[in-house]
Amino acid sequence: MTYIVLIVIAIVLEVLADILFKEWTIKNQNIILYTGLSIYFIGTYFWAMSLKYELLSKSIVIFSVINLICITLVGLLYYNEQLSLINKIAILFGILSVLLIEL
């Protein structure tokens, strides 16, 4: 249970930092960049702590794919970004990789 809590916190913070990085590219305000970097650092700490409870090889795949899905949804829904067919296939392979690791 501790692992799940740590990885969820890490993912939420990473997604928030990624959103701030995107906002920084739009608004070009350094405070947004520095806030994003700070949040990213804190998220990385939680991810590192999660490694006490799970293997690195399993943890990095779960973290990366769930983060990818969340940030893709933000890009699609909030920033109206589009995905190519190759992007969609890659995301499906990522989801499949998490499912296979959990077996």
Side-chain angles (χ1 to χ4, degrees):
M1 183 64 168
T2 302
Y3 169 75
I4 293 171
V5 170
L6 290 169
I7 206 78
V8 166
I9 292 170
I11 290 168
V12 168
L13 291 172
E14 172 107 7
V15 168
L16 179 59
D18 287 341
I19 291 168
L20 288 171
F21 294 151
K22 177 68 174 180
E23 288 297 314
W24 171 71
T25 65
I26 295 168
K27 298 176 182 174
N28 199 26
Q29 296 175 341
N30 285 338
I31 188 71
I32 297 172
L33 174 63
Y34 298 135
T35 304
L37 288 170
S38 299
I39 292 171
Y40 190 81
F41 175 76
I42 295 167
T44 301
Y45 172 79
F46 280 98
W47 181 78
M49 292 300 295
S50 76
L51 295 177
K52 289 183 174 183
Y53 305 97
E54 190 57 72
L55 298 173
L56 173 63
S57 58
K58 184 176 179 180
S59 186
I60 190 64
V61 172
I62 292 169
F63 174 81
S64 297
V65 171
I66 294 174
N67 182 53
L68 168 76
I69 292 167
C70 291
I71 207 64
T72 299
L73 288 173
V74 169
L76 290 170
L77 300 173
Y78 187 74
Y79 293 106
N80 297 315
E81 297 177 348
Q82 301 298 314
L83 293 177
S84 70
L85 177 61
I86 296 293
N87 296 139
K88 292 173 187 174
I89 292 170
I91 291 169
L92 288 175
F93 278 132
I95 293 168
L96 180 61
S97 70
V98 170
L99 294 175
L100 290 173
I101 283 179
E102 288 300 318
L103 290 178

